[in-house]
Each structure stands twice: as structure tokens, then as C-alpha cells.
Amino acid sequence: MGASEPEVGVQDQPLGTPALAPMGVGTWSWGNRLLWDYRPERDDPLLLRTFQECIKAGLTFFDTADSYGTGNLQGRSEILLGQGLARLPARQRQRVTVATKLAPYPWRLGRHGFCKAAAASCQRLGRPIDLVQLHWSTARYAPWQEKPLLQGLMDQVQTGGAKAVGLSNMGPRGLRRAAGWMADAGVPLRSVQAQFSLLSQQPLQPGGVLEVCRELGVTVVAYSPLALGLLTGRYTVSHVPSGLRGLLFGRLLPRLEPLLALMGEIGADHGSTPAGVAVNWCRAHGAIPIPGLRHPHHVNDMEQALGWMLSCHERQALDRASRELATLMPQNPFQSA
């Protein structure tokens, strides 16, 4: 896709469905102690300021999940988003699109398995859900559950608890199957979330999620487009984050130096950063990136990135530079075929 082609997410949508912006904000880290060392007393004020800065910058599409927040903090991401929304004037609040994912835990059984979960998410957010998503498929361990749970999400649209339904972590076979069920029920599939970045390009393979979604007219939402921060240009072999991410970064960063150098050059040509290049690479391939933002100064990079697109030549150069790195990132264990 060249810079002159239309952006994903701004095309006409069926009446009543939420319009998804060219870029969103991921909130996986909001409440996550394991990977992101979340501490409420330190981080909550920063996260709420980050939310406010996002709104000022025109980043009004937020993605969350009822499972975000480790241990007894589960649901913390939705709570923080709800607090941020409550502080907005009514007119601004109406312009915000919130997508949340409901986890198909084993105790959430059958068509009504998500009823309490959806109601709890709405309570934490303080509003109905714009886009309710199946967090992952049960096809690998409880295939009989997949269709009833999806029917339950479609029921949320029928009863007004949500405006549209999406999927997450579902491969091309499951995607076709689920889209067929939804079409038969008269509730079109709105979006599919996939792990997608310069270091995680499985959706881009022939017959992959991107190709199937183009065929079906479904929007692809790219999560982890910055590869947990590896593609931001902020880290070096001698400067890595603490904890589990630091172990991963120390192993991978030496292999990324040529790619990061190219990203820096391209970014400089546009007055941008490697992070801006990374998200625009996703956009150039037809996906809506939802980078995780945890600090107000992260917002400026993403606001600036919205003002330009990669040229066809730049995208191809990045494709070539990342070819041997395209499956470098560990894949989500919940991904299904």
C-alpha cells in the first residue's frame, strides 16, 4: 500500500457501528506488574494524564480487556479508562471509542457465559462497550464453546450492551468460520486483532489474516506494533528495561541494529522517531496500530506519526530489512489457527 492509498478505518461503516480511527491506544500495560512494573501510587496519575494527552492529540480509540491487570488488579485497565472518561466533558466523551476484550475463561460457559463479564466491563468503564471482542478462540481446547460464546457477544449488540463485535488472536481458518456464523446471524464482524509488527509478520503471509480480512472487508487492529518497546529506538544493549522485557531485549537488540538504523533514517526524513516509523509500517500494510502508551511524552510521538505515511519505496525498504527478523518476537500462546 502506498502513501496515496486510503487509510484503513476511515472508510464508510455500516450504520450504528463505531468508526475506528487510523491509530488507537493499547492499554495492556495499565495495571500489569509482571511485564511493566505497574505501581498504582506512581503510575495512576501518569496514566490518567496520558489519557488526557491522547484526547488532546486526537487519539480517541482505546483498546482494553477485562483480564488486563495482573493478579488482584484484574480489570484495572478498564477502571482507569473509566476514570479518564468520567473526567471528560460530555461532548468529548462521546467522541471516544472504547474496545474491550472478554476472556473465554473455562467458567464462562455457553451463550450466556459473557453476560456478567460484559456487565462488569460496562460498570468499570461507566458506559456501554463500543466494540466487544472475543479475547481468544477456544477452538484448541473447547471447540464446542466457540460458537455459543460468540453468539453471546452478538447478543450484547442486540441488547444494547455493545455496538459491534470483534475477534482477537484468531487465525485465518477460525476467522472465516466465525465470520460465516456472524453473517448468518446478521451481525457483521467488525474487526480482528492480531500481533503484528516488523518483528511479528505472520498476519502478512499469503493466506494470512491480512489477506482474509481484505477479502471479508474486516478491519485489522495491530497490537504490539512496537514489539514491547524494541522498535521505539529508546533502548540499546547497554540500556534495557528491568525484568522479563530486559531479558528479551538483551537477546534481540544486537540483531536489530541495522533495522533500527534504517528506521532512524526514515523517521528523520519525516521529522519523526523509530516508533513513528514502526506504527506507520503497520498502517502502510492496511492495519490500525494500537501502540501501548504509558506516559504523556509517549503521546507526542504518536500524534506526530499521524501526520505522514510511508512511501511505497520506504515500506519496501523496511520489508527487506526486516525479512529475516519477521518471526523474531515470541507469539501469543492464545493464538489459534
Side-chain angles (χ1 to χ4, degrees):
M1 180 181 292
S4 62
E5 296 183 41
E7 294 177 359
V8 171
V10 296
Q11 67 269 33
D12 291 338
Q13 303 300 337
L15 189 63
T17 61
L20 303 185
M23 189 187 305
V25 179
T27 63
W28 174 33
S29 63
W30 296 19
N32 188 300
R33 284 175 169 156
L34 182 63
L35 278 178
W36 306 96
D37 190 31
Y38 166 78
R39 301 179 205 171
E41 65 285 351
R42 177 195 67 189
D43 294 332
D44 284 1
L46 280 176
L47 292 172
L48 289 170
R49 277 176 48 208
T50 301
F51 176 85
Q52 292 169 346
E53 291 302 312
C54 286
I55 300 301
K56 291 177 185 176
L59 296 169
T60 56
F61 169 38
F62 292 85
D63 178 78
T64 184
D66 71 340
S67 62
Y68 286 177
T70 48
N72 61 1
L73 293 171
Q74 192 169 89
R76 188 65 184 166
S77 174
E78 289 182 331
I79 289 171
L80 287 166
L81 275 178
Q83 290 176 0
L85 287 163
R87 297 181 181 186
L88 295 178
R91 181 173 292 183
Q92 275 191 325
R93 196 160 54 240
Q94 291 168 1
R95 291 201 292 265
V96 176
T97 297
V98 177
T100 199
K101 298 178 289 293
L102 301 182
Y105 294 131
W107 56 86
R108 292 175 174 175
L109 295 171
R111 185 165 184 166
H112 301 292
F114 279 141
C115 289
K116 290 183 180 178
S121 287
C122 289
Q123 184 174 17
R124 286 190 288 267
L125 292 167
R127 61 183 283 174
I129 302 163
D130 294 304
L131 177 65
V132 66
Q133 304 157 101
L134 182 66
H135 204 153
W136 63 83
S137 168
T138 64
R140 289 193 299 178
Y141 59 90
W144 57 88
Q145 273 284 84
E146 189 174 44
K147 188 173 183 179
L149 286 173
L150 194 53
Q151 287 173 322
L153 293 186
M154 290 187 281
D155 290 344
Q156 291 296 316
V157 175
Q158 304 289 357
T159 60
K163 296 179 183 176
V165 176
L167 304 172
S168 181
N169 296 308
M170 191 173 288
R173 287 206 305 273
L175 168 56
R176 288 186 186 278
R177 181 174 62 243
W181 292 338
M182 294 181 66
D184 291 342
V187 179
L189 175 60
R190 180 66 183 86
S191 63
V192 175
Q193 279 200 32
Q195 183 177 341
F196 186 47
S197 74
L198 281 156
L199 305 183
S200 185
Q201 298 184 29
Q202 286 83 346
L204 197 53
Q205 294 173 353
V209 166
L210 281 166
E211 183 177 310
V212 173
C213 284
R214 280 195 296 269
E215 176 188 326
L216 298 176
V218 173
T219 298
V220 178
V221 177
Y223 73 80
S224 203
L226 302 178
L228 300 180
L230 276 164
L231 297 175
T232 62
R234 299 189 188 113
Y235 300 99
T236 64
V237 175
S238 59
H239 171 58
V240 299
S242 60
L244 293 176
R245 285 199 306 147
L247 295 175
L248 179 68
F249 283 30
R251 181 167 61 86
L252 298 186
L253 276 170
R255 299 180 60 183
L256 300 185
E257 290 179 359
L259 174 62
L260 288 171
L262 175 62
M263 294 171 68
E265 293 171 10
I266 292 173
D269 288 341
H270 294 278
S272 189
T273 62
V277 174
V279 295
N280 272 325
W281 180 85
C282 293
R283 293 173 67 200
H285 279 290
I288 297 175
I290 50 170
L293 305 180
R294 295 183 295 134
H295 195 285
H297 71 246
H298 295 161
V299 178
N300 183 62
D301 281 354
M302 297 302 103
E303 180 184 16
Q304 199 282 334
L306 280 172
W308 61 278
M309 290 284 285
L310 292 169
S311 69
C312 185
H313 172 75
E314 289 169 333
R315 192 213 69 195
Q316 290 171 350
L318 290 166
D319 289 349
R320 289 191 297 269
S322 64
R323 192 162 291 142
E324 294 183 0
L325 310 171
T327 58
L328 203 58
M329 284 296 292
Q331 291 303 290
N332 193 315
F334 295 107
Q335 176 68 33
S336 65

